[in-house]
Amino acid sequence: MNKKELIVKKNLYFLAAFIFVFILSSCSSEENNPVQPPPKTYDVEYKLSGSVSEINQINYLAANGQLLHDSLVTPSWSYQWTSKGKEGQQTSLEAVLVKQSGKLLLEILADGNHLVNDSISGIPGGRIMITRSITLPYE
């Protein structure tokens, strides 16, 4: 092998090594671990309203997941989370009516938009409960 052929072979090996390194460096870890956008957050509010005279029991989840309770409240009740809810987080609101007539409207809102908008009619001689839970939507 003459000197010229050795130089060409060296250059080809160098070029092959360069291409190999270039390809490896192009495969960054970002493709394997893409950067996720921050989760969507929401202002969450629960509302109860209607024509019943009182709501005997209310059970609801707070922003931290704690189950809270209220009892014997007027049908114009609301609760807003003290911190923003994150997508995928669970909400829950339950109301119990005992010997009530009239209607009760149950709402769960995220950023002012209705996620739940349900109603129930009371039973004058009995007990009735309405429960709604929803996962905050992913954007």
Side-chain angles (χ1 to χ4, degrees), residues 78-99:
S78 68
Y79 173 81
Q80 186 154 357
W81 282 11
T82 55
S83 63
K84 289 206 174 246
K86 293 183 178 80
E87 61 187 7
Q89 191 171 358
Q90 189 70 27
T91 67
S92 183
L93 176 58
E94 175 182 82
V96 178
L97 302 176
V98 178
K99 298 181 181 176

